[in-house]
Amino acid sequence: MSTLHELRATAHPLRLRLLSLLTGAAMSAAEAGRELGCSQASASYHLRVLERAGLIRVVEVVRLRGGDAKRYRHESSAKRPEADADRSTLGEVGAGLSEEQTAYVEALIDELRRRSRHRVDGPHMSTDAELWIDEDTWRRVVHHVREASALLHAAARPPRTPRTSPVSMTAVLFPLAHP
């Protein structure tokens, strides 16, 4: 994510869930609404916001009961070129967070809280760190996390596909200003 428009579009917990859902399968507003427990109208509104921001795209239009239903799909931001991914989502060094950036961070926090309530036993890891490291090591870490994210997104399947389990990954990496 690199533009203010994308940042605003993702600064809502339901839109974050839609992006995750549409990584594993193309879905219409009705299908996504049923899966996420919200109305078709709500899902449709949020899908349009994500589409306008360029975060999802229509991959097919199907005829249902006399109307057309668009099916949307999300491609992982981890698949973007490295140069594009190097731009900061959270703003310039020392500039503080804008209202949109704060909303995005709050949406991530809310989504992590929601997911944490559904955690089960199994392989897991957690890292929280504020460290001083050299630039080469930092770039390698960002590269590897980006690769892990791309692998996860490429392996995503529709909900309840046999021999799959739901998993959660939240990764936010950014350099810090010198104190």
Side-chain angles (χ1 to χ4, degrees):
M1 179 182 354
S2 60
T3 69
L4 186 58
H5 194 61
E6 289 174 328
L7 189 61
R8 286 180 179 154
T10 57
H12 191 282
L14 183 59
R15 291 195 285 264
L16 290 175
R17 292 180 68 198
L18 282 165
L19 288 174
S20 293
L21 182 64
L22 297 176
T23 298
M27 291 188 176
S28 68
E31 292 166 328
R34 280 192 299 275
E35 185 62 36
L36 298 179
C38 68
S39 70
Q40 177 180 347
S42 180
S44 181
Y45 167 77
H46 290 292
L47 288 169
R48 286 191 308 273
V49 171
L50 292 169
E51 183 183 22
R52 280 193 304 271
L55 295 168
I56 61 173
R57 63 186 174 87
V58 176
V59 293
E60 69 177 321
V61 179
V62 294
R63 191 95 173 140
L64 296 173
R65 292 181 290 247
D68 291 335
K70 296 177 183 177
R71 286 212 170 108
Y72 298 88
R73 184 82 186 201
H74 168 63
E75 290 190 13
S76 167
S77 58
K79 294 179 182 178
R80 291 185 183 171
E82 298 274 332
D84 182 46
D86 281 344
R87 285 187 272 169
S88 176
T89 300
L90 299 178
E92 298 302 316
V93 172
L97 295 180
S98 71
E99 185 177 324
E100 290 85 3
Q101 292 161 332
T102 299
Y104 172 70
V105 170
E106 291 297 326
L108 283 177
I109 292 166
D110 289 346
E111 184 59 7
L112 185 56
R113 280 188 187 115
R114 183 195 67 79
R115 291 179 194 171
S116 294
R117 289 191 296 268
H118 302 284
R119 184 177 173 192
V120 298
D121 287 336
H124 68 278
M125 60 105 16
S126 176
T127 299
D128 178 55
E130 184 175 327
L131 310 166
W132 288 76
I133 60 172
D134 63 89
E135 188 173 327
D136 182 55
T137 301
W138 177 246
R139 288 193 179 281
R140 287 177 38 222
V141 167
V142 171
H143 173 77
H144 288 304
V145 172
R146 187 177 294 120
E147 281 187 335
S149 179
L151 175 64
L152 200 60
H153 278 80
R157 299 295 172 254
R160 286 170 286 292
T161 297
R163 295 181 307 284
T164 66
S165 299
V167 298
S168 174
M169 177 182 176
T170 302
V172 179
L173 290 77
F174 50 89
L176 297 170
H178 288 263

